[in-house]
Amino acid sequence: EIVMTQSPATLSVSPGERATLSCRASQSVSSNLAWYQQKPGQAPRLLIYGASTRATGIPARFSGSGSGTEFTLTISSLQSEDFAVYYCQQYNNWWTFGQGTKVEIK
Amino acid sequence: EVQLVESGGGLVKPGGSLRLSCAASGFTFSSYSMNWVRQAPGKGLEWVSSISSSSSYIYYADSVKGRFTISRDNAKNSLYLQMNSLRAEDTAVYYCASGLAGYYFDYWGQGTLVTVSS
C-alpha cells in the first residue's frame, strides 16, 4: 500500500497570505495525484488532478506541483472561504489519501 | 448537473448488516467507474471500494474485504454497498464519488452516516 504523508497537520495563515501544503508518497505515484478541499459538514471537493491541473471552476489562486513522491499545493492569497481541510490522494496504485492538513485563520 | 445522492445509512448493532445506495443523475452512469469513500467522525478520508463501468473490475480496501460488496445497476443509475459483519470501527459517513474523467474522484455525494453501536 502506498502511504501518503501530509505536512504540516495544521497551518495557521492570515487572510491574503500564501499557504504551502506538502504531500509525500512512500513510493512514486508519477503525476497521479489529486488534491481535495473539505469544509465542515460538507463533502470533499476536487481541486487539482494530475498533480497540477485545476478542476473545473477552481480559482487560479490554487496551484499544484510535483511528481514522483513530492507534491505541493499552493494557495497564493488566502480568502476567507479557503479555510478548510485539504487532502492529497494518489490514484497510481489503487487509492490512498493523506491524513489531511487543516488551514486555519491566524 | 452531476448529482449523487446516498441513502441507507443508520444505526446498526455490531455484527449487523446495512445496504447503502447512491442514486446518480446528470451523466451517463453506465460509462464511468464509481467509488465509495468513508470518513470516521473527526478523522480523515478512507477509500473503501471501487467498481468499473461494467462491473468487470472491483476493488476493496483490506479493512472491508470479505465483509463489504460493491455493486451497481446501470439500468437504474444506482451504486450500492452491501455491508455485512459490521464493526464499531465501520462507523463513518459514507460518500459515493464518481470517476468521470479519470481515476480521481471528481464528484461526490453529500454522504450518509452509518453508526455501528450496541
Side-chain angles (χ1 to χ4, degrees), chain A residues 72-93:
Chain A
T72 301
L73 175 69
T74 302
I75 311 171
S76 59
S77 176
L78 271 158
Q79 307 298 302
S80 56
E81 62 266 30
D82 300 335
F83 293 96
V85 179
Y86 293 83
Y87 295 94
C88 63
Q89 176 209 36
Q90 69 81 19
Y91 51 94
N92 189 65
N93 185 343

Side-chain angles (χ1 to χ4, degrees), chain A:
Chain A
E1 176 187 335
I2 297 177
V3 177
M4 307 301 292
T5 303
Q6 292 185 241
S7 61
T10 303
L11 187 61
S12 298
V13 185
S14 299
E17 288 189 341
R18 183 186 195 91
T20 302
L21 289 66
S22 296
C23 175
R24 174 177 292 178
S26 60
Q27 63 189 77
S28 177
V29 299
S30 187
S31 295
N32 296 314
L33 191 286
W35 289 94
Y36 301 86
Q37 177 193 67
Q38 187 179 34
K39 297 178 181 179
Q42 296 185 17
R45 176 174 73 145
L46 176 67
L47 296 177
I48 301 283
Y49 62 91
S52 61
T53 303
R54 279 189 303 276
T56 302
I58 302 303
R61 64 180 181 274
F62 291 92
S63 63
S65 64
S67 65
T69 62
E70 301 283 343
F71 301 88
T72 301
L73 175 69
T74 302
I75 311 171
S76 59
S77 176
L78 271 158
Q79 307 298 302
S80 56
E81 62 266 30
D82 300 335
F83 293 96
V85 179
Y86 293 83
Y87 295 94
C88 63
Q89 176 209 36
Q90 69 81 19
Y91 51 94
N92 189 65
N93 185 343
W94 294 40
W95 300 267
T96 46
F97 291 91
Q99 80 280 18
T101 290
K102 181 180 181 181
V103 177
E104 64 176 24
I105 300 175
K106 186 174 182 180

Side-chain angles (χ1 to χ4, degrees), chain B residues 3-104:
Chain B
Q3 284 200 332
L4 300 170
V5 180
E6 301 94 337
S7 60
L11 176 63
V12 61
K13 289 181 169 54
S17 298
L18 211 55
R19 189 196 197 205
L20 305 184
S21 298
C22 173
S25 61
F27 65 102
T28 307
F29 181 77
S30 59
S31 296
Y32 301 101
S33 62
M34 294 295 295
N35 313 276
W36 287 101
V37 176
R38 67 184 181 182
Q39 186 170 36
K43 303 297 184 183
L45 302 172
E46 180 188 15
W47 168 74
V48 172
S49 184
S50 297
I51 186 169
S52 63
S53 57
S54 61
S55 304
S56 298
Y57 300 97
I58 288 176
Y59 308 92
Y60 297 101
D62 286 344
S63 57
V64 307
K65 197 175 297 182
R67 300 187 299 121
F68 290 11
T69 302
I70 191 172
S71 63
R72 63 191 295 161
D73 185 335
N74 287 342
K76 295 183 177 180
N77 289 347
S78 293
L79 174 72
Y80 305 103
L81 187 67
Q82 177 67 44
M83 303 185 296
N84 299 331
S85 302
L86 283 161
R87 307 165 179 167
E89 54 265 35
D90 296 318
T91 294
V93 174
Y94 285 74
Y95 296 100
C96 70
S98 64
L100 302 193
Y103 292 110
Y104 48 88

